[in-house]
Amino acid sequence: RIQILFEANSVIMVAYNTKCKAVDSPKFKERTTNPLHDVPQIPHKKLRDGTVRKDILNAMSEYGFFYIIDIPNYDPDRELREIERFFSMPTKDKMSLATVKHNTSNTNILRGYGMAVGSDGENPVEEVFNVGQYTDRDITPDKVSCMGEFVSREPNVWPPLYGDFRNVIENSFSIRKNLSALLVQEIALGLKFPELLDKFSEGEFTSFYLKKYRPRTQECNSNIYAKGSGYVMTSEKGEDLAIPSHTDTTVTLLSTYTNGGLQALYKGEWHNVPVVLDSILFMTGSLMEELTDGKVKSLEHRVLDIKQDRYSTPFFYNPSFHANIATSMSGLETATGQVSPTFGPWQVEQLHRDEPLLLTCTSLY
């Protein structure tokens, strides 16, 4: 038998159950010393039958993430083909779908295409296509509390007559939304915190990001995030980062396909996150940690620039715009709640800071 292990964008083939000499390679040693190879892989079927709530909570307490495997109708290869095709479209076709930040002829603010150019000022070093849950918007600005709430319900934009792209991506969104709802349900029931489910009843800002990263220089990185963001785009070893060290906000599902580069902080040290084929990685963010009194940990993570094109699809499952985030499951006041007692206004500020490829610093006001 041969076990194929993916580690930081490399493939290692390790023979086992047979007599052979020990493998003496840095990658093999990394495989045997990296504690993240012990992160649980939970089959989707077990999520549905409610038998792994304790396993979920243990994984989140120990590692801050785990993998879901054997997901019905999940076809990462097909997803990746469509994503690659989309980003290979002519620039003019992508710009026709760009947010108003990049194309003032358009009206879409959050959903659609965005990018950041490299040091040459022309070619994109990072691209994104953002998809939400709405096909149309049945409210007007005078019926909502603020511009941010109106934008949160923005309908999607799609490339016209572009093969199966829309069908594939809409199906991918649906799979992830249903999976996220199931995971929040199992966490809520495992913690005996049913009110958590109510906070996600609408989830207007829930978003599916198709992302392409190109190799970049430190100069390229300086053009992406605002200087006041606080993000550092190099590792402690001087490596260029594609995404700086951060924690997310609520619930994240992440597909990296066969791409390495993702790292997680575990017990004070950075480790490569192993690629598990045909899985989706589940993690939670700072607000979920607050709401659950620390029983569900947020994961600090980052992405190394692997010096070749890299694709990933983070899915952010968010509470409703008016969800109360002021107190935790035990009634303690949350730090986030001191900034805003409801989710939407707080999320507006997070998006202004973290989505420079799509938004200006005032897009949602």
Side-chain angles (χ1 to χ4, degrees), residues 323-336:
N324 187 324
I325 57 172
T327 55
S328 71
M329 60 184 287
S330 67
L332 294 174
E333 186 177 19
T334 63
T336 302

Side-chain angles (χ1 to χ4, degrees), residues 85-328:
R85 279 206 319 139
F86 173 82
F87 286 119
S88 67
M89 283 170 43
T91 299
K92 65 179 180 62
D93 293 341
K94 289 184 288 189
M95 290 303 293
S96 71
L97 304 168
T99 61
V100 69
K101 173 181 178 177
H102 302 287
N103 185 344
T104 55
S105 298
N106 290 342
T107 58
N108 49 306
I109 295 172
L110 178 63
R111 309 303 180 189
Y113 175 75
M115 54 86 180
V117 296
S119 54
D120 63 4
E122 295 182 12
N123 296 307
V125 70
E126 188 173 328
E127 297 178 272
V128 63
F129 187 71
N130 181 19
V131 177
Q133 62 180 302
Y134 298 104
T135 56
D136 53 43
R137 181 161 45 194
D138 57 1
I139 59 169
T140 54
D142 62 307
K143 300 296 183 183
V144 293
S145 61
C146 60
M147 184 62 177
E149 185 178 2
F150 184 67
V151 175
S152 75
R153 294 176 177 268
E154 187 174 76
N156 292 319
V157 295
W158 299 101
L161 303 176
Y162 199 69
D164 291 332
F165 178 75
R166 178 172 179 173
N167 289 336
V168 169
I169 299 307
E170 285 185 329
N171 180 64
S172 300
F173 185 100
S174 179
I175 288 171
R176 287 165 172 81
K177 184 182 178 187
N178 292 337
L179 180 56
S180 297
L182 176 60
L183 287 160
V184 170
Q185 170 189 288
E186 293 305 289
I187 288 172
L189 293 174
L191 293 175
K192 296 180 172 55
F193 181 29
E195 295 84 2
L196 183 65
L197 287 172
D198 297 334
K199 297 182 189 300
F200 289 83
S201 59
E202 296 292 333
E204 299 94 333
F205 270 128
T206 292
S207 297
F208 186 33
Y209 289 81
L210 318 182
K211 304 203 77 171
K212 179 179 181 178
Y213 304 90
R214 290 188 170 94
R216 78 272 311 278
T217 64
Q218 192 62 36
E219 185 180 359
C220 293
N221 278 335
S222 67
N223 294 332
I224 297 178
Y225 293 102
K227 291 183 179 180
S229 67
Y231 290 132
V232 177
M233 296 302 291
T234 53
S235 75
E236 65 284 350
K237 297 178 181 179
E239 303 158 300
D240 291 327
L241 298 178
I243 300 178
S245 171
H246 69 288
T247 58
D248 294 338
T249 54
T250 53
V251 171
T252 302
L253 294 179
L254 180 64
S255 297
T256 60
Y257 307 102
T258 60
N259 295 297
L262 179 64
Q263 295 188 324
L265 192 66
Y266 177 70
K267 295 186 177 180
E269 295 184 356
W270 288 101
H271 296 278
N272 295 323
V273 175
V275 174
V276 177
L277 290 181
D278 300 334
S279 72
I280 293 180
L281 186 153
F282 172 79
M283 70 178 90
T284 55
S286 58
L287 180 57
M288 280 289 284
E289 182 169 345
E290 289 185 76
L291 292 174
T292 62
D293 291 321
K295 292 181 170 60
V296 175
K297 290 197 321 184
S298 59
L299 179 69
E300 187 170 354
H301 57 288
R302 67 188 186 187
V303 178
L304 298 177
D305 176 10
I306 61 174
K307 302 306 179 185
Q308 64 187 57
D309 289 351
R310 181 183 187 276
Y311 298 89
S312 71
T313 48
F315 180 89
F316 300 113
Y317 186 64
N318 288 315
S320 304
F321 197 92
H322 295 289
N324 187 324
I325 57 172
T327 55
S328 71

Side-chain angles (χ1 to χ4, degrees), residues 16-40:
Y16 67 102
N17 285 353
T18 184
K19 292 183 178 180
C20 63
K21 294 182 179 180
V23 178
D24 184 19
S25 74
K27 291 297 181 185
F28 181 69
K29 289 178 180 178
E30 208 280 343
R31 165 67 176 87
T32 59
T33 60
N34 182 351
L36 301 188
H37 281 282
D38 296 326
V39 172

